[in-house]
Every structure is written in structure tokens, then in C-alpha cells.
Amino acid sequence: MHDAEAVSNNSLINIGDYVIIQRHGYFKLHQLSQKCDLMLGKDKVKICSIVGKQFWTMFKMIPAKSGKREFSLEVCSKSESIPEVVMKEISSGMDNRNISDDGKSQLLTAEDIIGLRESGLSAQNIVDKLIQNSTTFKEKTEYSQEKYLKKKEKKYFEYIVVRKPTLRLIADIFYNRDPFKILGLRYDTLSQILSLGNIQHNGTYLLFESGTQALVGASILNCLSEDGTLINLSLVNQPPKQAILGMNFNKKQINRLLTVKISDFLKALRGDSLTINQKTENQGNKSNDSENELHNDERESALEESSRKRKLNENNHLNIKKPKWAEEFEKAVDVVKEKSVDGIIIACKEYPINILENLITYLKPSKQIVIYSLYREPLIDTYVEMKKRKDLIAIHITESWLRTYQILPDRTHPDVNMSASGGHLLTATKVV
């Protein structure tokens, strides 16, 4: 019964959740707040009405009476396709030979069209006005008319769908927004990393990731069960986790992620790092040195106060609660020392050679190494170094290639525009 309630609650939209707003072919990742305002281009949308509704609910944008481009949302069952409605009532020409693109066919000016939008007219009415004031629309072929209407529908579309975040959608949103902010990591390359890394639900994995908005970390974390652990190595204690936050992971899933600073982590594994208590004592010594600059009476009172507190802690066995990053640090070190790791995944802007050399010691035999880079030169250098080792086999460099297709009756063909590269992967297997 409790499981059914949890599943039901998980399918409802709540304040604080990340949602994906789809408007025609446009997607946006958004976190719901108490303010409930969302900007879709130049349109301001009040999305309070989506709270408590299920994901995949469709809403219609209702213009506000203020005359500005502000909208509220209303639940609807289906959307009306402008091309389907208009094409039933409009006749078409035989060919476009007598139509010239001189910019004079539309009688409405840009100011008139902006005025129509700000007046609160629906998308259907705006498109009807454009057709009525076009001198060439009825002379166009049916194919040209449909293409024109689809373009206008995309611009004035007034229906949105609230979707639940998935890895593919988040990766696609980040890539379309700016590929270089995620190192050109496409969703097909992301799937290759999971496949070539042999990610298992109960495995323990080392991940060094930077510059990808935590896409790789979110993908691995999504695959892990209660017995799995992901140790996220970074240059700082708290790296960006946009993709992980966007997935709305529950507390149990988040607890499988241990984020540690790579420099301190490697020192601890080698046994030459300071413990948390030692670091605290050193900080206390630094504060004592600074107290020497006080007046004699102030210094004596400060020392008496600190000694009194120290005795109180010793007598009552009181321990100061460690910060979360310190607890994750100790747990990560213990996990690697006890059972090593089942895979090493590196996706970063830095050269991966030194990172790999420091981590490969803790990889179990017959386990995989996967390194991602937008450019092949860092991987070639790493490939050469790998070839010198006798404990690595099946070393390969690959490049993902993706082509999307337009699927339409009698017009199915590859898309005209496509991404040039989805990055490069270097893979290897460790042996005894």
C-alpha cells in the first residue's frame, strides 16, 4: 500500500521539483518555485496550475487581460493543429512559378503583427489574419502552404506539455542550448559510455568529471541500486550537479553518490593525508597563534575559556558533528580500500593521463576504463601511454556518429543540419 502511494506521489508535480516544459519542439528544464513564473522566449507564463497535476498533462496558454504577453494555463485534453484546420478550408495552386519573394505579399506590417500578439488573440486567429492579408498564399502549392503553416504554428504555438525529466531529454536540452558547456557530449555518446563501461546496478565506480554539468554522474547514478556506489572525484569539494538535481533523485539514490576532492582522496589512499581530527587541531593551533596578538588579559581569558570547553567535551564525550563532505570523504576512502572499484570513467577538460595513472591501481582485474574527450589529441597521447603498459588490453579509440531523419509521407530523408561530432572515447580493459 505504501509503495503504491509512493509511486502515485512520484507521478505528481510538486513545488521544488524539476520539470521539463515542452512547447512544440522546444524543451526547457525548470525548477518549480513558490513564485511559479516561467519565461518561454518573450512570453511570461504563470504555471501555478501545474502543481498537483500528473506529468504528461497538457495545458493551453490563456492570454491575460492586461494586454501584455502574459499567460495562464488551463488543462486541456488535446491540441488543435493549425495546418490541419486551415488546409481543409483553403484552396491551393498548381505551382509557385508566378510567385516572387519580394517581401510585399504580406499586407500587415511587423508592428501590426506585434499588436495582434499583445492584444491577446489566439494562435489560430493570428494565423487567420496573416492568411487573409497575404496576396500569394492561395496561389502556393499544397506543400508550400503546409510548410508555411507549420512555421507559423511553431512560432505561435499555445499548448505546453509538462514532462518528467529523463536523461535523454536533459542531455538533449543541454546540448541544444550550448554543446561546449557540456564538452559536446551527446545522448548517444552518453549511452556508449554506460555500455562500454559495463555499468552494473551493484558496482562501485570511480568518476572524474568536469565541464559536463554532471551528465555522466547522473547517468551512472540512475543505473545503481542500493548496493551500488559512485565516487565522484572533482577538483573542488562541491562541483556542479545540474543534471543530478534535474533528475529528481530521491534521498536513497543521492546517498549512493560520494563526492570527494581528488587531491585529498589520493593522499588518503596513499596513507599520507591528515585525518579530519588532525585538520581540526591544526586549525585550532592557527587560531592560538593569532591570539598572541591580543592583550595579556584577553589572551589569558581566551585560553581559560578554550581549556574549559575542552575539558567539558572530554568529560561528556561530546563530538562535533562532521560536515557532510567529510563523512563522504571517509566513506569513499574506506570503500576503495576494502574492495577496489569496478570501473573508471573520466570525462573532463583536463589531460587524462595523470588522472588515470593515479586511479588505475584501484581498479579490479577484467574491469573497464572509459575516457571521454571532445578532442582526440588528449586521447591519442593517453593511448600511447596505455600501450606501454602490460596490464591493459583491448585499447581502442572510437568516435560516435549520429544522423537524425525527417519522417514525413513521401519526404523521408536525413535532416539537412546535423552535429559534426559527439566527441571521442578511449576504452581499455585491465588484466592481471
Side-chain angles (χ1 to χ4, degrees):
M1 184 69 179
H2 294 291
D3 293 339
E5 291 178 357
V7 172
S8 177
N9 293 332
N10 194 33
S11 63
L12 297 180
I13 303 168
N14 302 304
I15 295 292
D17 288 348
Y18 280 85
V19 297
I20 290 179
I21 306 296
Q22 178 185 358
R23 183 184 184 185
H24 205 262
Y26 175 76
F27 296 85
K28 183 173 184 177
L29 181 66
H30 179 74
Q31 185 181 21
L32 282 180
S33 62
Q34 295 290 345
K35 194 175 180 181
C36 289
D37 287 340
L38 172 68
M39 293 301 297
L40 290 176
K42 296 181 180 179
D43 298 333
K44 185 177 180 181
V45 185
K46 294 281 186 181
I47 57 175
C48 300
S49 57
I50 75 173
V51 178
K53 301 293 191 299
Q54 290 188 341
F55 286 100
W56 284 99
T57 303
M58 181 178 290
F59 297 88
K60 184 176 181 179
M61 297 168 58
I62 307 299
K65 296 180 180 179
S66 60
K68 299 180 181 179
R69 294 177 63 173
E70 297 182 358
F71 301 85
S72 59
L73 296 181
E74 184 180 276
V75 178
C76 61
S77 57
K78 63 178 182 178
S79 62
E80 296 179 355
S81 174
I82 293 178
E84 291 181 2
V85 175
V86 174
M87 293 297 289
K88 294 178 181 178
E89 305 172 356
I90 300 293
S91 59
S92 58
M94 297 298 296
D95 55 53
N96 298 331
R97 71 178 68 183
N98 297 323
I99 299 175
S100 59
D101 188 11
D102 54 4
K104 299 178 181 179
S105 59
Q106 180 56 251
L107 302 180
L108 293 177
T109 63
E111 291 77 12
D112 294 335
I113 297 173
I114 293 174
L116 291 176
R117 297 195 71 176
E118 293 182 349
S119 65
L121 284 180
S122 65
Q124 180 68 53
N125 291 333
I126 293 176
V127 174
D128 287 342
K129 292 283 186 182
L130 293 174
I131 293 174
Q132 291 172 10
N133 289 275
S134 175
T135 58
T136 58
F137 183 80
K138 293 183 179 180
E139 299 175 7
K140 293 181 178 181
T141 62
E142 184 178 352
Y143 168 74
S144 298
Q145 289 177 345
E146 184 180 358
K147 187 176 180 180
Y148 174 85
L149 292 173
K150 284 185 177 180
K151 183 179 178 181
K152 297 304 177 186
E153 181 183 43
K154 183 179 179 180
K155 186 174 183 180
Y156 303 111
F157 200 69
E158 56 187 358
Y159 297 92
I160 69 170
V161 178
V162 183
R163 299 181 61 173
K164 194 171 186 178
T166 63
L167 285 171
R168 171 162 180 159
L169 285 176
I170 292 176
D172 218 13
I173 290 170
F174 288 171
Y175 189 88
N176 292 331
R177 186 167 58 189
D178 190 349
F180 292 101
K181 285 190 176 180
I182 56 170
L183 301 182
L185 182 61
R186 282 197 316 246
Y187 56 83
D188 59 308
T189 309
L190 197 59
S191 66
Q192 290 292 313
I193 292 175
L194 298 179
S195 178
L196 296 171
N198 193 25
I199 305 301
Q200 303 292 324
H201 70 96
N202 58 349
T204 301
Y205 300 96
L206 282 177
L207 169 67
F208 182 83
E209 182 179 19
S210 67
T212 60
Q213 301 293 325
L215 270 176
V216 181
S219 303
I220 299 175
L221 194 60
N222 189 55
C223 299
L224 299 181
S225 65
E226 295 181 359
D227 299 326
T229 304
L230 174 61
I231 302 174
N232 185 20
L233 307 176
S234 66
L235 300 176
V236 293
N237 284 327
Q238 296 296 330
K241 298 180 180 178
Q242 184 61 40
I244 294 176
L245 296 174
M247 284 294 293
N248 294 325
F249 288 128
N250 57 40
K251 189 175 181 180
K252 289 183 178 180
Q253 289 172 302
I254 293 296
N255 289 337
R256 298 166 197 154
L257 174 67
L258 305 176
T259 303
V260 296
K261 192 174 180 180
I262 187 170
S263 57
D264 296 338
F265 180 71
L266 294 175
K267 288 179 182 178
L269 291 177
R270 289 193 295 262
D272 57 354
S273 68
L274 297 176
T275 63
I276 302 300
N277 294 333
Q278 287 175 323
K279 289 181 180 179
T280 306
E281 290 177 3
N282 289 342
Q283 293 174 356
N285 292 335
K286 291 180 181 178
S287 62
N288 289 338
D289 292 339
S290 64
E291 289 173 359
N292 292 332
E293 299 177 0
L294 300 173
H295 296 291
N296 291 333
D297 53 346
E298 293 178 353
R299 181 174 59 185
E300 289 176 0
S301 62
L303 291 173
E304 289 176 1
E305 182 68 18
S306 62
S307 62
R308 185 183 66 81
K309 290 182 178 180
R310 198 178 297 115
K311 289 179 180 179
L312 181 63
N313 289 339
E314 290 176 356
N315 294 334
N316 297 331
H317 301 284
L318 296 177
N319 295 322
I320 299 174
K321 185 178 179 181
K322 296 178 183 178
K324 184 179 179 181
W325 66 264
E327 294 178 357
E328 292 185 356
F329 177 84
E330 292 183 349
K331 185 177 179 181
V333 172
D334 293 339
V335 168
V336 174
K337 283 184 176 180
E338 288 177 7
K339 55 182 181 180
S340 296
V341 296
D342 300 300
I344 296 175
I345 297 93
I346 300 173
C348 62
K349 298 177 288 186
E350 295 77 15
Y351 250 63
I353 296 178
N354 293 334
I355 300 171
L356 178 62
E357 288 179 349
N358 282 284
L359 299 179
I360 197 171
T361 307
Y362 310 103
L363 181 64
K364 295 177 182 178
S366 301
K367 299 302 180 179
Q368 281 66 41
I369 299 169
V370 181
I371 305 175
Y372 170 81
S373 176
L374 177 59
Y375 309 105
R376 63 182 178 183
E377 285 76 15
L379 299 187
I380 291 175
D381 294 341
T382 309
Y383 176 89
V384 173
E385 294 299 320
M386 281 183 166
K387 278 292 186 179
K388 297 177 182 178
R389 302 178 63 104
K390 296 182 179 180
D391 57 349
L392 294 177
I393 61 171
I395 307 172
H396 301 289
I397 295 179
T398 58
E399 179 182 5
S400 298
W401 193 80
L402 177 71
R403 170 168 259 183
T404 55
Y405 280 75
Q406 169 186 290
I407 308 298
L408 290 172
D410 300 324
R411 299 192 297 276
T412 297
H413 58 77
D415 282 343
V416 177
N417 298 322
M418 59 175 288
S419 58
S421 174
H424 303 78
L425 293 174
L426 172 60
T427 58
T429 303
K430 183 180 179 181
V431 294
V432 179

